[in-house]
Amino acid sequence: QIRTMRLLLVLGVIGGAAAFAPTHVLPLLHGARSSPALSVLACASNKNEWGPLTLSRRAVVGFASGVVVLPRSSWAATPSVDEDTKQLVAGYNTLTDLVQNWVKYAGDKEEAKGDSVRRQVGTVGGKSALVGIRKVLVRKNVDIDLMEEFGNKLTAIDANAYAAMFAASGKKRGYQFMEDAFKDTKDLKSVYEQILQSLDIPFK
């Protein structure tokens, strides 16, 4: 108990004096469990097992209060497949389904179901795996040219599918806009495959 109190006192003094420096090397007991908040008292149970650890200002301030605050990256479990990769694969499968079953989603010459197509590509609604997909591409550091081409094709699909719903009395009929949207969808699928290849993500 005396040893523990001395340890807390020493760490408090060190933390208070060094809290405003950029980084510091402070002792941490080997064998301590990495966690969001690590009790110094718990560390003290591992007698004479010391080792250096570089800590940020935030961690040093934590020492001063009797708690070591470690970065989230030091304790969070690493998933086998990250969520962005899962969404990219799911988005590709959604797009493939749209291409293969175009008439089901888009209608035929008698009926242009523009909103149905827009829901599939994620430009309306919130259920498609393609919702927010451009943000995923940014986080994955996808090539800027591929991202731009992807965005252009996605915008073209949305524009043509939207126009198809209001083209009954125009020179260009609704199904003609949907034909353009179908071409854009196939082009988007091709760009999507290039993106997956560049990220070494397998797809069927």
Side-chain angles (χ1 to χ4, degrees), residues 114-128 131 158 162:
D115 267 348
S116 176
V117 170
R118 296 170 75 209
R119 277 192 292 271
Q120 288 302 110
V121 297
T123 54
V124 297
K127 294 183 178 181
S128 172
V131 173
D158 183 68
Y162 181 80

Side-chain angles (χ1 to χ4, degrees), residues 43-66:
C43 291
S45 64
N46 294 329
K47 297 179 181 179
N48 301 320
E49 296 184 23
W50 295 84
L53 178 68
T54 301
L55 298 174
S56 66
R57 181 186 303 164
R58 179 170 175 264
V60 174
V61 173
F63 264 115
S65 63

Side-chain angles (χ1 to χ4, degrees), residues 21-183:
T23 57
H24 309 273
V25 177
L26 293 177
L28 183 69
L29 294 168
H30 286 306
R33 187 183 301 275
S34 293
S35 64
L38 182 64
S39 169
V40 173
L41 184 60
C43 291
S45 64
N46 294 329
K47 297 179 181 179
N48 301 320
E49 296 184 23
W50 295 84
L53 178 68
T54 301
L55 298 174
S56 66
R57 181 186 303 164
R58 179 170 175 264
V60 174
V61 173
F63 264 115
S65 63
V67 173
V68 181
V69 182
L70 296 177
R72 180 176 293 270
S73 59
S74 69
W75 58 269
T78 302
S80 56
V81 179
D82 67 84
E83 294 303 314
D84 283 345
T85 297
K86 290 180 181 179
Q87 184 175 351
L88 282 170
V89 173
Y92 178 74
N93 292 337
T94 297
L95 196 59
T96 299
D97 178 51
L98 177 60
V99 171
Q100 294 176 347
N101 300 283
W102 181 258
V103 175
K104 169 187 172 183
Y105 294 109
D108 53 22
K109 289 187 178 182
E110 300 300 323
E111 180 184 21
K113 298 189 289 187
D115 267 348
S116 176
V117 170
R118 296 170 75 209
R119 277 192 292 271
Q120 288 302 110
V121 297
T123 54
V124 297
K127 294 183 178 181
S128 172
L130 290 166
V131 173
I133 199 69
R134 280 181 274 201
K135 293 180 180 179
V136 174
L137 300 183
V138 172
R139 289 195 295 268
K140 283 291 192 180
N141 295 316
V142 170
D143 177 80
I144 187 66
D145 291 331
L146 284 176
M147 279 199 293
E148 183 177 1
E149 189 174 0
F150 182 96
N152 290 340
K153 293 300 179 183
L154 191 59
T155 299
I157 295 169
D158 183 68
N160 281 313
Y162 181 80
M165 297 185 292
F166 304 98
S169 60
K171 292 182 179 179
K172 188 173 182 178
R173 305 298 298 273
Y175 74 87
Q176 293 174 308
F177 280 105
M178 295 305 285
E179 288 175 349
D180 290 342
F182 185 40
K183 180 181 181 301

